[in-house]
């Protein structure tokens, strides 16, 4: 039977509930990081956030603006998924719904492979990422559109394309990292190079199982001490270990046949069925 639009908004499908549960902590990244840093001080081996609050969308061309993700005067008051207030860029499809911010649109299409409108569920081969501010709308008139065929995005200009590309760069976001020198944040050409830098310079590393199974951008992952990875794999990360603000992660699941590791029991079950 068909459910009403109000019911779909109040009771989103499981995919969006999991998405929301994973990212609801990140709009207030600074507070989350402060709690996590306290946890690290109490336990030096505790997981630490890869990004310390200066998230990719708050820096542009090396200058911290602090205005890229929240801008007063935006045409969207609040993102339907992450509840971010007044995002600078919003996503709109041919159905006309402009209810989600640019980051949630990129997350849905790039990480979850969901190419439907989150409101009406119409399949959208393309979505436009537009500047939602009044001044941005005025400046964008007549701007050349830029198409991304892989993700099905139409960028209204170079600025929003630069912010999207920044989400997929291999940049070191560890607080106090000076490897980049005067150039600012240190960027690497491959994930292996970034991981080598993290091990040698910060004595931390990603969980490869989380990188492959958790639907999150690279800067949203956690870093672990080498001798803490076994605990993380076996027990997961509970809220009290992370300071209460960063999203917890479940114990990972191993396949007894092929010896592969999966993010959770659901991923293992999918693997077993295949």
């Amino acid at each position: 039977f068909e459910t009403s639009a109000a019911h779909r908004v109040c009771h989103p499908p499981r995919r969006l509930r999991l998405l929301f549960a994973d990212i609801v902590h990140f709009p207030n990244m600074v507070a989350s990081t402060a709690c996590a840093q306290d946890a690290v001080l109490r336990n030096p081996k505790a997981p630490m956030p890869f990004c310390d609050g200066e998230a990719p969308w708050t820096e542009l061309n090396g200058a911290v603006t602090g205005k890229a993700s929240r801008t007063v005067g935006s045409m969207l008051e609040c993102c339907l998924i992450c509840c971010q207030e007044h995002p600078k860029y919003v996503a709109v499809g041919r159905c006309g719904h402009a209810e989600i911010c640019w980051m949630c649109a990129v997350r849905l299409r790039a990480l979850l492979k969901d190419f439907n409108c989150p409101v009406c569920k119409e399949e959208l081969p393309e979505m436009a990422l537009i500047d939602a501010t009044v001044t941005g709308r005025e400046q964008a008139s007549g701007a050349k559109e830029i198409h991304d065929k892989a993700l099905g995005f139409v960028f209204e200009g170079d600025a929003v394309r630069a912010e999207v590309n920044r989400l997929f760069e291999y940049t070191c976001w560890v607080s106090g990292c000076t490897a980049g020198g005067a150039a600012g944040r240190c960027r690497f050409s491959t994930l292996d190079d970034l991981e080598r830098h993290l091990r040698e310079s910060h004595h931390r590393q990603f969980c490869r199982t989380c990188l492959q199974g958790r639907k999150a951008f690279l800067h949203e992952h956690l870093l672990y001490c080498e001798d803490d990875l076994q605990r993380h794999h076996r027990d997961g990360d509970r809220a009290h270990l992370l300071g209460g603000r960063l999203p917890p992660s479940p114990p990972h699941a191993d396949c007894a046949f092929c010896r592969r590791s999966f993010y959770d029991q659901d991923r293992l079950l999918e693997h077993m069925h295949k």
Side-chain angles (χ1 to χ4, degrees), residues 23-147:
I23 68 174
V24 68
H25 304 266
F26 285 102
N28 191 7
M29 179 68 76
V30 175
S32 301
T33 304
C35 294
Q37 288 173 342
D38 290 341
V40 171
L41 290 176
R42 293 193 301 270
N43 178 10
K45 294 184 179 181
M48 62 177 283
F50 180 37
C51 179
D52 65 352
E54 294 181 1
W57 60 90
T58 65
E59 289 188 352
L60 194 59
N61 298 326
V64 179
T65 65
K67 299 179 181 179
S69 64
R70 175 182 292 189
T71 306
V72 177
S74 170
M75 61 184 288
L76 179 60
E77 182 177 347
C78 181
C79 174
L80 179 67
I81 296 177
C82 70
C83 300
Q84 176 66 55
E85 297 179 354
H86 307 295
K88 183 175 181 180
Y89 302 109
V90 300
V92 58
R94 63 187 180 188
C95 57
H97 291 119
E99 311 296 333
I100 63 173
C101 68
W102 65 282
M103 275 197 67
C104 285
V106 177
R107 190 186 302 273
L108 285 170
R109 299 177 79 87
L111 303 183
L112 296 179
K113 308 302 179 184
D114 185 345
F115 295 88
N116 299 323
C117 171
V119 178
C120 67
K121 304 307 176 186
E122 179 181 350
E123 184 175 358
L124 300 175
E126 285 189 331
M127 288 190 81
L129 297 185
I130 64 174
D131 192 320
T133 62
V134 175
T135 55
R137 301 302 313 134
E138 294 173 351
Q139 296 172 356
S141 58
K144 182 179 179 181
E145 294 180 345
I146 305 169
H147 292 258

Side-chain angles (χ1 to χ4, degrees), residues 175-235:
S175 177
C177 180
T178 59
R185 292 288 181 182
C186 190
R187 293 176 172 82
F188 300 87
S189 57
T190 67
L191 178 60
D192 288 340
D193 290 339
L194 172 59
E195 290 186 301
R196 186 180 306 109
H197 163 76
L198 292 173
R199 286 194 304 269
E200 296 176 355
S201 300
H202 305 294
H203 309 291
R204 293 275 177 161
Q205 58 192 82
F206 292 116
C207 169
R208 275 284 179 165
T209 304
C210 288
L211 287 181
Q212 295 171 2
R214 182 175 168 227
K215 305 301 183 182
F217 295 115
L218 187 61
H219 72 271
E220 295 172 340
H221 282 274
L222 299 177
L223 297 176
Y224 300 88
C225 292
E226 183 177 1
D227 53 0
D228 187 45
L229 276 175
Q230 187 175 358
R231 178 217 50 85
H232 162 73
H233 184 94
R234 181 185 65 249
D235 303 329

